[in-house]
Amino acid sequence: MKKIFLTLVLSITGYWTFAQNQVIINGDLGKTTINKHIYGHFAEHLGRCVYGGFYVGENNTKIPNKNGVRTDVIEALKKMKIPNLRWPGGCFADTYHWKDGIGPKKQRPSMVNAWWGGVTEDNSFGTHDFLDMCEQLGTEPYLAGNVGSGTVKELSDWVQYVNHEGVSPMANLRKENGRDKPWNVHFWGVGNEAWGCGGNMKAEYYANIYRQYATFMSDWSNTSKLFRIASGANSADFNWTEILMRDIPHNMLDGLALHHYSVIDWNKKGPAVNYDEDLYFKTMKQALLMDELIHKHATIMDKYDPKKKVALVVDEWGGWYEVEPGTNPGFLYQQNTMRDAMIAGTTLNIFHKYSDRVRMANLAQTINVLQAVILTNEEKMLLTPTYHVLEMYNVHQDATMLPVDVQTADYTFGNEKLPALSVSASRDKNGVTHISLVNIDPSKSQEISLNLRGMKASGVTGRILTSAKVQDHNTFESPDKVKPAAFKGASIKGDNLKVTLPPISVVVLELK
Ligand code: AHR
């Protein structure tokens, strides 16, 4: 009787429903900046990412383009605010010889894309094409150098070709090819996945190779201030991080990479659309593992670099499933559902949490490959649920991260559970606070009580991305099935904000 009475009182007062999800936004404790470069993207010569995705050729009269690059793609990426773009790989980078991709297009030699489908490429999209496209996009290029099958000279020549202002053999060649001013590329990857497709090296061996390459990129003391990024660990390979942090002098190292994909089983990845709740739960478990991975890699980095000079660069992340039925298995073309929106929202919240160390990241990959933000089919283009999350979240770029304490309900499936709620917050340079919330539970909504400690707000507005089923996605026939809408589920009284999040939803709030 007593228990029934208590339950009644608690539900009438609202306490019961809000008790499970309690969040404190520490508005007075913001110290670190959420580097906009954690919102970076990745364009590999893989399937239809570059050819058919970004680039359709200068002579294409069917698809509007500028210098062969799709105009619709440029507009969409600019709206999303893309801060940097990694190119040309991936595994492809360690097979790529940049000199094959400059000069008159008709004279460029062809090559075989050995990693991705064995297709022959004509090198019509090369260094000028990529760097000019970055200028169109207003994004910073991130070039991945060939260490696996290239030479030190080849990479140091590339640096000279794109960055040297004065008279030099490579600057002269660039000018002959029509570009007078250097592009001043800041971000440089020294190889990719050196432990695997980049050469199957041991950590100690790669650390030495890295030192050699880094020495000859620009000059001995890196006067051009390149941001050099070492090929980093695969998911939980903590030994790789340990050895590289120990063996590479930190004045030669600006970033250390990490790759982690939300993949269930490399031999049985499961479908991109027709998955059941078991597969959904397993994918989210892999996505949320990012928190523990970053924590552990960052702890190792702290041991060698307590001042956090070296950035952790998560330059490949996202969901990886079976390719769409009937498509080339080497092209990694997959659909993108609300599951991907859940991966994107929770992962970005994790990056925000570690913004003191994670200062750059690249979602794999931008168009038609893996967790793409854009899919194309000839002249048609669609924006995926992942695109919408990145566009909604762009208010956090270069804002001050506000630490959050989150007490969350569980999302339970079988005997396992995951935190249902993921939250992050920031204050932008105009003093406006944004809060991002994700509910990964596919059947339960979440009532959340947020304490805005140290802040005063008189109103709240927001946007939501949600859909009836987690498998929902956009198609070329129905490109707007999943898209953001105005959010009406938040109310504010003093420093207390109450929010109701529907199942599988991403919400970004703005405090007034
Ligand atoms: O993104 C696809 C591939 O995944 C990349 O080429 C490689 O770096 C990683 O293994």
Side-chain angles (χ1 to χ4, degrees):
M1 187 64 190
K2 229 171 158 188
K3 202 172 160 202
I4 295 170
F5 178 71
L6 185 67
T7 312
L8 196 68
V9 169
L10 289 173
S11 42
I12 288 169
T13 57
Y15 178 84
W16 186 262
T17 44
F18 282 96
Q20 289 265 293
N21 295 294
Q22 304 271 0
V23 178
I24 299 172
I25 312 278
N26 295 290
D28 46 350
L29 296 182
K31 275 200 310 268
T32 54
T33 299
I34 296 171
N35 197 313
K36 69 175 179 182
H37 287 295
I38 65 162
Y39 284 81
H41 289 264
F42 175 28
E44 180 163 11
H45 285 232
L46 196 178
R48 293 187 302 114
C49 185
V50 170
Y51 295 108
F54 280 101
Y55 180 75
V56 288
E58 291 81 349
N59 302 325
N60 194 313
T61 49
K62 253 179 40 196
I63 304 172
N65 66 83
K66 189 171 168 207
N67 302 332
V69 178
R70 293 180 73 123
T71 317
D72 51 0
V73 161
I74 295 285
E75 277 167 17
L77 293 179
K78 276 170 103 164
K79 182 163 181 253
M80 191 186 69
K81 289 203 181 143
I82 171 173
N84 73 74
L85 185 58
R86 180 173 181 241
W87 178 83
C91 295
F92 179 83
D94 282 295
T95 65
Y96 183 63
H97 300 286
W98 68 270
K99 284 182 183 159
D100 294 343
I102 56 171
K105 296 201 173 185
K106 283 211 175 104
Q107 289 165 27
R108 294 182 191 176
S110 59
M111 72 167 294
V112 172
N113 191 331
W115 286 113
W116 307 116
V119 290
T120 302
E121 295 188 9
D122 63 3
N123 268 308
S124 55
F125 191 87
T127 298
H128 289 248
D129 308 275
F130 175 69
L131 295 177
D132 290 349
M133 181 179 90
C134 287
E135 286 185 340
Q136 277 199 64
L137 282 167
T139 195
E140 282 207 47
Y142 166 14
L143 293 178
N146 180 347
V147 168
S149 71
T151 62
V152 177
K153 177 167 167 26
E154 185 180 13
L155 185 48
S156 68
D157 274 358
W158 206 13
V159 176
Q160 192 185 97
Y161 187 86
V162 301
N163 280 1
H164 194 255
E165 182 137 32
V167 176
S168 73
M170 289 301 116
N172 294 352
L173 184 58
R174 179 189 74 232
K175 288 172 194 165
E176 276 169 35
N177 288 328
R179 171 81 187 197
D180 194 37
K181 281 200 181 127
W183 289 277
N184 293 322
V185 177
H186 182 53
F187 296 119
W188 290 86
V190 184
N192 169 74
E193 296 194 349
W195 42 262
C197 64
N200 281 306
M201 302 175 199
K202 289 186 175 169
E204 288 82 354
Y205 182 76
Y206 172 70
N208 274 337
I209 293 271
Y210 177 93
R211 293 163 65 128
Q212 183 189 7
Y213 272 76
T215 303
F216 295 99
M217 292 171 75
S218 146
D219 60 28
W220 175 257
S221 49
N222 189 24
T223 45
S224 16
K225 303 272 179 278
L226 303 183
F227 193 95
R228 294 165 298 188
I229 301 164
S231 164
N234 182 20
S235 293
D237 183 357
F238 302 111
N239 180 58
W240 187 270
T241 297
E242 180 90 36
I243 302 297
L244 265 56
M245 288 302 290
R246 187 195 69 193
D247 287 3
I248 300 175
H250 295 175
N251 64 351
M252 303 181 91
L253 184 65
D254 305 284
L256 176 58
L258 167 66
H259 289 181
H260 174 63
Y261 285 98
S262 303
V263 66
I264 297 165
D265 175 347
W266 285 105
N267 298 314
K268 205 165 179 243
K269 301 188 196 78
V273 175
N274 296 317
Y275 51 87
D276 58 16
E277 192 172 347
D278 179 40
L279 293 187
Y280 170 64
F281 187 92
K282 286 180 173 144
T283 307
M284 290 316 298
K285 197 171 165 184
Q286 284 306 309
L288 296 176
L289 185 62
M290 184 69 92
D291 194 327
E292 184 184 324
L293 293 177
I294 292 178
H295 178 73
K296 289 187 173 162
H297 285 289
T299 304
I300 296 167
M301 293 175 83
D302 285 350
K303 185 166 103 185
Y304 294 97
D305 174 33
K307 293 202 169 129
K308 302 183 193 294
K309 186 223 157 236
V310 181
L312 183 59
V313 178
V314 190
D315 57 11
E316 287 186 32
W317 67 273
W320 190 324
Y321 322 112
E322 283 155 13
V323 297
E324 284 309 294
T327 65
N328 187 327
F331 282 11
L332 310 187
Y333 176 75
Q334 62 190 39
Q335 248 297 355
N336 194 290
T337 67
M338 280 302 294
R339 168 171 66 174
D340 297 277
M342 298 295 101
I343 296 175
T346 53
T347 303
L348 291 167
N349 285 346
I350 294 168
F351 291 166
H352 293 174
K353 175 175 165 188
Y354 294 102
S355 51
D356 58 346
R357 183 64 86 175
V358 179
R359 300 197 288 270
M360 191 165 174
N362 300 79
L363 174 60
Q365 298 194 6
T366 323
I367 310 176
N368 295 331
V369 170
L370 298 178
Q371 191 174 339
V373 290
I374 290 175
L375 301 178
T376 65
N377 180 11
E378 296 295 333
E379 59 270 45
K380 290 186 183 157
M381 183 199 85
L382 67 80
L383 307 175
T384 65
T386 301
Y387 173 95
H388 293 305
V389 174
L390 275 104
E391 187 273 321
M392 287 163 68
Y393 269 56
N394 69 24
V395 289
H396 293 295
Q397 292 190 16
D398 283 341
T400 303
M401 189 273 285
L402 304 177
V404 292
D405 302 321
V406 183
Q407 186 187 312
T408 164
D410 295 327
Y411 160 35
T412 46
F413 181 75
N415 298 325
E416 288 195 90
K417 58 183 186 191
L418 291 171
L421 183 66
S422 156
V423 184
S424 74
S426 71
R427 186 177 299 123
D428 70 15
K429 62 178 188 319
N430 300 316
V432 179
T433 299
H434 294 101
I435 304 169
S436 296
L437 306 113
V438 186
N439 174 18
I440 66 166
D441 195 309
S443 46
K444 287 194 188 133
S445 55
Q446 306 296 331
E447 308 289 343
I448 309 154
S449 178
L450 296 100
N451 177 354
L452 308 173
R453 199 154 73 191
M455 283 184 282
K456 294 250 173 310
S458 55
V460 57
T461 56
R463 291 166 79 203
I464 182 167
L465 188 77
T466 190
S467 203
K469 290 193 291 162
V470 68
Q471 293 86 357
D472 283 349
H473 58 282
N474 293 333
T475 60
F476 295 104
E477 292 69 42
S478 185
D480 287 326
K481 184 178 172 67
V482 180
K483 66 172 184 190
F487 180 62
K488 303 282 178 221
S491 63
I492 197 161
K493 213 186 220 175
D495 61 359
N496 193 259
L497 178 62
K498 291 218 185 304
V499 180
T500 303
L501 285 187
I504 40 155
S505 60
V506 179
V507 164
V508 177
L509 299 175
E510 181 170 312
L511 301 185
K512 302 284 170 198

